[in-house]
Each structure stands twice: as C-alpha cells, then as structure tokens.
Amino acid sequence: MAKGGQTLPEPGSAEVRAAWARKEAGDVAGARRDAERILAGNPSPEDRAEAEELLRRTSTPRDLYGYALLAAAVFIVLLMLALSRYA
C-alpha cells in the first residue's frame, strides 16, 4: 500500500500504458490498433491481459447490432405501409 504522496506504478509496459492513455484521450480506434499490435508480438502475460481487456472495453456491444436491425425492420414496415396507402 502506498503511503501519503506516493503513487503505485501502473501495471504493464510503456506500450500498454500508451494504448490506455490513447483510449482515455478519446482515440479509441488508435488504442485498438495499439492493443492489436501488442498482441501480434510476443507480449508478457500481464501485457497480454491488459491488451485483451482494452480490446474488450472498446468493442461494440452485440446488442447494439440487434437494436439497429430491429429499427431498420420497423422503418421498412412503416415505409411499406406508407407506400401502400398513398400509391
């Protein structure tokens, strides 16, 4: 445990910390590229875990695709109803 005024060192290498810093700064695509580059090399187990966690946190939730598909289906149904009514 750190005493007053001391900060604990962040886990992982400088590359992993840089990738997390990019994510925190708002560059999610750049952070994902950095994490994939780290995983493509031969990272330590700690760096591998951190890079995989970064990729997991920056991925698009699968539910979002389902809602988008549902919204598109509702839009098409409404469009077909409007076309059949006014055609």
Side-chain angles (χ1 to χ4, degrees):
M1 185 170 180
K3 294 184 180 180
Q6 295 178 343
T7 58
L8 295 175
E10 294 181 19
S13 67
E15 291 177 319
V16 173
R17 287 193 305 269
W20 278 101
R22 282 183 98 167
K23 179 200 171 283
E24 294 299 322
D27 185 7
V28 176
R32 287 186 63 82
R33 277 192 305 270
D34 287 349
E36 289 168 353
R37 185 177 40 79
I38 290 167
L39 289 175
N42 191 12
S44 67
E46 185 176 275
D47 287 350
R48 176 176 295 282
E50 287 290 321
E52 287 172 350
E53 178 66 15
L54 177 62
L55 288 176
R56 187 187 67 77
R57 287 191 185 188
T58 58
S59 65
T60 304
R62 291 212 179 270
D63 294 344
L64 185 63
Y65 294 117
Y67 289 128
L69 184 61
L70 178 65
V74 168
F75 177 75
I76 290 171
V77 167
L78 291 174
L79 184 65
M80 296 298 287
L81 287 172
L83 288 175
S84 67
R85 166 131 174 124
Y86 297 110

